Amino acid sequence: MKVSYKSKYKISECPKINSSDQVYPIWLENWDTDQIEFVEQFKVMLLNRANRVIGICNISTGGVSGTVADPKVIFVTALKGNANSIILAHNHPSGNLNPSQQDISLTKRLKEAGEFLQLPVLDHMIITPNGYYSFADQGLL
């Protein structure tokens, strides 16, 4: 068996992330605009050691009021993608940017799992076409 990794892009051309306001436009560019106000989706952004985006993956698509964010799927994606850290996001089709209790609980569990794997969760964002909520900016991460 052989394990290898080769990027399709020059790392120097990948966006570098320093804050949530830099991440939000990237999420919007990579979200299906026909779905963002229709059904809830959960995505993960993979970052390298220099905080450059090396990939974005759709984890799940649900219904109008929720979707499944399976920690195993999230972290196997990050590990296979050779990520050094991750940023999570899901949309609220209702347009409400406030996190639910389930959102807060999930974020806490994913942060703990990331710490164990030495693969930190840098942020979890709730996305709408009109703005975003950052758990990191609000001190909840």
Side-chain angles (χ1 to χ4, degrees), residues 51-62:
N51 281 357
R52 291 201 179 268
V53 178
I54 56 173
I56 294 175
C57 184
N58 187 35
I59 298 298
S60 65
T61 299

Side-chain angles (χ1 to χ4, degrees), residues 3-123:
V3 178
S4 63
Y5 177 85
K6 181 173 170 133
S7 177
K8 294 180 182 180
Y9 308 99
K10 288 183 180 180
I11 293 297
S12 62
E13 296 174 358
C14 296
K16 185 174 174 86
I17 303 301
N18 293 311
S19 65
S20 61
D21 62 336
Q22 291 176 318
V23 178
Y24 178 64
I26 297 170
W27 283 129
L28 286 182
E29 287 174 20
N30 289 278
W31 220 279
D32 182 347
T33 56
D34 293 334
Q35 299 288 309
I36 197 166
E37 295 180 285
F38 180 56
V39 293
E40 195 165 305
Q41 296 179 305
F42 196 97
K43 299 181 185 251
V44 61
M45 181 180 293
L46 311 177
L47 303 173
N48 71 4
R49 186 175 296 277
N51 281 357
R52 291 201 179 268
V53 178
I54 56 173
I56 294 175
C57 184
N58 187 35
I59 298 298
S60 65
T61 299
V64 291
S65 62
T67 191
V68 176
D70 187 334
K72 290 179 278 189
V73 175
I74 292 166
F75 286 104
V76 76
T77 301
L79 291 168
K80 285 183 175 182
N82 201 31
N84 191 66
S85 58
I86 59 176
I87 298 175
L88 309 169
H90 73 283
N91 64 309
H92 279 177
S94 67
N96 179 2
L97 288 173
N98 296 318
S100 68
Q101 189 56 48
Q102 292 96 341
D103 294 338
I104 294 167
S105 176
L106 174 67
T107 302
K108 182 180 177 186
R109 288 192 347 252
L110 293 172
K111 178 185 177 196
E112 291 169 357
E115 288 171 353
F116 177 77
L117 293 170
Q118 297 179 2
L119 208 163
V121 176
L122 301 181
D123 202 350

